[in-house]
Every structure is written in C-alpha cells, then in structure tokens.
Amino acid sequence: MDTRTYDIDGFTEELVAHGLIIPTGVPGAYGRGPVFEDILRRFDALVVREAAPDGAQELTFPPILARRLIEQLGYLDNFPQLAGSVHSFTGSDREARELSERVHAGERWEDLLSPTEVMLTPAACYPVYPTFSGLLPQGGRLVTIMNWVFRHEPSPEPTRLQHFRMREYIRVGRPEDVQAWRDAWLQRGLELLGRLKLPVASDVASDPFFGRAGRMMAASQVDQRLKFEILCPVISREKPTAICSFNWHQEHFTSRFGIRQHDGGVAHTACLGFGLERVTLALVKTHGYDPADWPRDVRSLLWNDA
Ligand SMILES: Nc1ncnc2c1ncn2[C@@H]1O[C@H](COP(=O)(O)OP(=O)(O)OP(=O)(O)O)[C@@H](O)[C@H]1O
Ligand SMILES: [Zn+2]
C-alpha cells in the first residue's frame, strides 16, 4: 500500500523546512534552495543528454514576448485568464510625483502605468514558431528551449506556480512525421521518468481554455487526441500532477506564420514540455527530501556517482 501522505500544507511545510523552497508571500512564486535547484538542473541535463542523438538546435529567448506576437498566437482568444502583461511608467514629472505620493500614502497607483510592448512568455515554445516562417528545409526542423514561463494561476498547491521553467522540444515538418515524433516521445518520456522510478502514467488531456466556449474546445482537443500528459502523484493520489505534456498543434501555428514544407506542402508542429519544477517535486515526493537517500540507480542517472 502507498503510505505516503498527500496533505498539501504538510508537503509545503516539509519542503520549506528542508530548505528546498523559500516562501516569498506570493502564492506560486517561491524561491528555490540549492538542493532543489541542483535536482532541477540535473534532470534538465539528463533530458538533454537523452535527446542529444536527435540533434535538436538549442535556441534561447528572454522570458518576455512581443505583445503583437501574443495577439498573433491567439493566446488571448483562449487563455486570457493566464496572461501576464508588463506595464511601466511613461508619464510626466508631475505624474511621477503623484505616483510616488500615492505609493507612500498606501493608495492605488497602477492606473498611472501603461502597457509596454511586451507580455510575459506563457509557454517556452511560443517565440520559436515565427522563426520557422517560410519554406522549411527538407525533413523539417527540431528545436529545443529551456525558459521561464509565467501563468497567472496563483494557488496554494506547491505544484501550481506562477513562474516556472519548461524544457521543451519543438518539431515542425510533414504532418505524419510530426505526429510520429510526438507519439514516440510520449513513450520515451514514460521510459525516462520510469528509469527515475517515478510512478508515472500517461493520459489524453486538454488545455485550460477560458469560459463556456473553452469547454467545447477542450472536449474537441480530447476527441482528436491532440494533447497527452504524463502524470505522477505529487500532492494527491487521486489527482496526479501533469509533469510532462505533448501537444500536436496541427496547422494552428504553421497557418498563422506561413510555414510550409520545402516543396510548399502543408506543415504541422508539435511540442513537448517537461515542467522542471513539477518533475523536481515529483522526485522529492517519491524518493524523499534528501537526495543522498535516494535509490542508487536514480542517483546514478542524475549524479553519475553511484
Ligand atoms: N502552474 C504550473 N506550475 C508548474 N508547472 C506547470 C504549471 N502549468 C503547467 N506546468 C508544467 O508545464 C508543462 C507544460 O505545460 P502545459 O501548458 O501543457 O500544462 P497544462 O496542461 O496547462 O498543465 P495543467 O493541466 O496542470 O494546468 C506541464 O506538463 C507541467 O509539467
Ligand atoms: Zn510548447
């Protein structure tokens, strides 16, 4: 019988007591201690090692996106509730004094800010799609990204953060190649997480589309089997946490950015993302708060020291 406890508050308290996470007073925005960060980086490095034979091109972007790109991606049609917008001050001397006075008087001041040209990146893969614009090379392309992403979903659950990191792989090319790549990675992901002795399972899934129309979109996404997740119990046995997701976008991005195969044929995209904080928390929940006590073969995969 599984005797681990799944009390959210208890788990969070233990994570804090062991110095793994550092509360900041903002839900979903805790700091990471050195042990947490070491596990996270070692897991990320393990994924990159495992995927190395595929020869993905590694790109790096800042954790902000052009406001214009967020509009083009259709993000605000589907997930306005998760969006994060960057605002700053562009006013006069007089307004600057008013801003400062209001802050010190404990009054609201945000209306004196105006939106900048950037939003916070909500998915690590988003800046990549415009770079594929035009005709692809024969065989398509494969890119990998590791980045911080923001989602406005404040929560007491230590697994539901506002700012977290994703290691993503993004494939673009012939529809059948892209789908086969996504399916193969689902098995590869299960196998890799299984070697870390995580009690994982996969399931078809949907995105948290906004509102009533969103519920229909989510149902259609499930029907078409466009999204899969690898789930692992972290804060609940009954509701395991998605630690890795696999998305087949079909023509959603290629049509928006004019992306075609080398011969002009229709191209598709798919991406997969490991939620690095969630994998770290799954490892801690499964194997214990001190990695020195983890099973030897799990340690040897991550630390190469057993
Ligand atoms: N709020 C969050 N905090 C931490 N990690 C997250 C969060 N949301 C998503 N992730 C991680 O990022 C990965 C890819 O994101 P994706 O958009 O597919 O998640 P999602 O399906 O929206 O997650 P969920 O259904 O739990 O909200 C997920 O598999 C998960 O590991
Ligand atoms: Zn993605």
Side-chain angles (χ1 to χ4, degrees):
M1 202 187 101
D2 189 345
T3 52
R4 287 164 300 176
T5 54
Y6 287 87
D7 160 42
I8 295 173
D9 294 336
F11 185 43
T12 305
E13 267 169 33
E14 289 293 330
L15 290 166
V16 173
H18 286 85
L20 289 161
I21 65 171
I22 304 149
T24 63
V26 178
Y30 52 70
R32 284 75 163 155
V35 173
F36 185 102
E37 197 59 18
D38 188 38
I39 301 167
L40 183 147
R41 290 186 192 184
R42 285 176 185 280
F43 174 74
D44 183 47
L46 173 65
V47 174
V48 171
R49 273 202 309 280
E50 292 289 314
D54 304 359
Q57 181 187 32
E58 172 129 26
L59 299 180
T60 304
F61 285 90
I64 47 174
L65 274 187
R67 193 172 290 276
R68 176 80 195 103
L69 180 54
I70 283 272
E71 293 164 5
Q72 282 176 307
L73 287 160
Y75 196 75
L76 299 166
D77 309 327
N78 296 325
F79 312 107
Q81 78 283 16
L82 300 178
S85 178
V86 179
H87 288 56
S88 192
F89 178 74
T90 55
S92 63
D93 276 2
R94 188 185 54 73
E95 285 160 336
R97 273 196 306 279
E98 185 185 343
L99 174 65
S100 159
E101 280 162 18
R102 283 210 225 160
V103 169
H104 292 290
E107 292 165 8
R108 301 264 42 115
W109 47 272
E110 294 86 346
D111 59 300
L112 292 173
L113 301 185
S114 27
T116 67
E117 66 191 324
V118 294
M119 304 270 289
L120 299 177
T121 302
C125 58
Y126 280 179
V128 176
Y129 302 110
T131 73
F132 293 149
S133 256
L135 292 186
L136 294 167
Q138 203 159 357
R141 285 183 63 187
L142 177 65
V143 165
T144 185
I145 296 264
M146 199 285 278
N147 206 355
W148 285 92
V149 302
F150 173 88
R151 293 187 184 174
H152 182 244
E153 45 181 1
S155 161
E157 296 172 10
T159 46
R160 190 164 294 284
L161 304 174
Q162 299 206 56
H163 234 174
F164 55 97
R165 279 160 287 181
M166 280 188 202
R167 162 63 62 182
E168 283 214 41
Y169 286 85
I170 302 113
R171 180 83 171 89
V172 58
R174 281 202 321 171
E176 52 274 41
D177 293 348
V178 166
Q179 194 189 355
W181 174 85
R182 197 266 321 245
D183 293 346
W185 251 111
L186 179 58
Q187 292 315 312
R188 237 171 141 179
L190 279 168
E191 191 265 341
L192 177 65
L193 296 163
R195 274 158 61 210
L196 289 169
K197 296 202 173 348
L198 294 177
V200 288
S202 65
D203 202 359
V204 61
S206 62
D207 284 312
F209 294 104
F210 182 78
R212 197 173 328 157
R215 281 199 288 283
M216 284 161 64
M217 294 185 66
S220 144
Q221 193 182 24
V222 169
D223 280 351
Q224 296 183 68
R225 302 172 74 76
L226 297 181
K227 184 180 182 92
F228 286 89
E229 286 175 343
I230 294 181
L231 304 156
C232 181
V234 183
I235 56 169
S236 154
R237 224 187 319 257
E238 295 73 33
K239 283 194 177 172
T241 301
I243 58 175
C244 184
S245 306
F246 307 78
N247 302 293
W248 178 24
H249 320 113
Q250 301 181 315
E251 288 179 67
H252 182 80
F253 297 120
T254 53
S255 64
R256 284 173 156 78
F257 297 107
I259 307 165
R260 320 278 305 173
Q261 289 187 56
H262 68 285
D263 57 5
V266 168
H268 278 191
T269 60
C271 72
L272 67 95
F274 288 93
L276 297 179
E277 277 76 7
R278 284 192 180 174
V279 172
T280 303
L281 291 168
L283 285 163
V284 168
K285 183 69 193 182
T286 308
H287 300 311
Y289 294 99
D290 183 355
D293 303 332
W294 289 7
R296 199 180 160 79
D297 32 357
V298 173
R299 280 197 60 90
S300 75
L301 262 180
L302 292 169
W303 275 266
N304 301 309
D305 70 347

